[in-house]
Amino acid sequence: MVFPIAKLGYLALKQLSKPLASTIKNRAKSSRVFREYICMPSAQIYHWSDMQLKMRFLGLRPTKVEPLNETMAIELGADLLGEMIIFTLAAATLYLEYWRSSSKEQRKESEQNQQLLDLQRRVDDLAFTLAEQEAKSRELLRMVAQLDAPKYRKTVQFVVTKDADERSK
């Protein structure tokens, strides 16, 4: 029952992440704190590193990169923030699925180990019971052999020698 609910929850989280990201982007654009301390600095750093990388790929020597204007920086920063939210939610979903799967495997392995231990305990108990019954059987055969009745002696000798032959195999 938990498995379908978990899958459904992951799917809902995935579907809600894009509208959630766009809502946060819009609020980030309108909030002064988000604009000045999150969107614009991250956009400027992204723009600077992107330009440096492009210039090096083209074989040009990186020079001073002009910063983005405020409108473009806010837009790029908000886009980066939205993408980061979507990526974070996707990574969290993957991690939760991995954790759930590994705990399920761990539980299954634990159950198998317990079953193996139970079977081993049963085998040990049966071996002990068999040894105990063999000892009782030998004792009964000795008691019968001590009887003076001649008709029992031949039967007892046959059983004792047969038992000894089987053990030597």
Side-chain angles (χ1 to χ4, degrees), residues 17-161:
S17 66
K18 289 181 183 179
L20 178 69
S22 66
T23 302
I24 291 174
K25 276 176 31 177
N26 291 335
R27 289 198 181 186
K29 288 178 187 179
S30 63
S31 170
R32 186 182 69 80
V33 173
F34 268 107
R35 273 196 321 249
E36 291 180 9
Y37 297 109
I38 295 175
C39 291
M40 289 178 57
S42 62
Q44 294 296 355
I45 291 170
Y46 176 79
H47 173 69
W48 179 83
S49 62
D50 185 44
M51 293 306 292
Q52 292 284 329
L53 193 63
K54 284 180 182 177
M55 291 175 83
R56 287 192 181 159
F57 278 146
L58 292 174
L60 302 173
R61 188 169 162 237
T63 58
K64 184 179 179 196
V65 177
E66 291 294 320
L68 293 172
N69 64 31
E70 187 175 338
T71 308
M72 290 179 69
I74 292 170
E75 188 67 35
L76 181 60
D79 288 342
L80 287 173
L81 181 64
E83 292 298 321
M84 183 182 72
I85 289 169
I86 291 172
F87 177 76
T88 303
L89 289 175
T93 302
L94 285 174
Y95 175 75
L96 288 173
E97 180 64 25
Y98 171 76
W99 176 76
R100 189 190 61 77
S101 176
S102 66
S103 67
K104 182 179 176 183
E105 284 294 320
Q106 206 171 33
R107 187 175 42 245
K108 185 177 178 182
E109 185 177 328
S110 175
E111 288 173 3
Q112 286 177 343
N113 287 340
Q114 187 61 40
Q115 287 176 348
L116 185 62
L117 288 174
D118 290 343
L119 288 174
Q120 185 64 41
R121 198 173 304 124
R122 283 183 183 172
V123 167
D124 292 343
D125 289 345
L126 288 173
F128 178 75
T129 303
L130 179 64
E132 193 176 58
Q133 288 177 354
E134 283 178 348
K136 286 179 183 179
S137 175
R138 282 193 302 272
E139 183 63 29
L140 288 173
L141 288 173
R142 280 192 206 111
M143 292 172 81
V144 169
Q146 289 176 354
L147 292 175
D148 280 338
K151 67 179 185 179
Y152 291 122
R153 279 188 192 266
K154 288 183 181 178
T155 305
V156 170
Q157 286 175 350
F158 174 74
V159 171
V160 169
T161 55

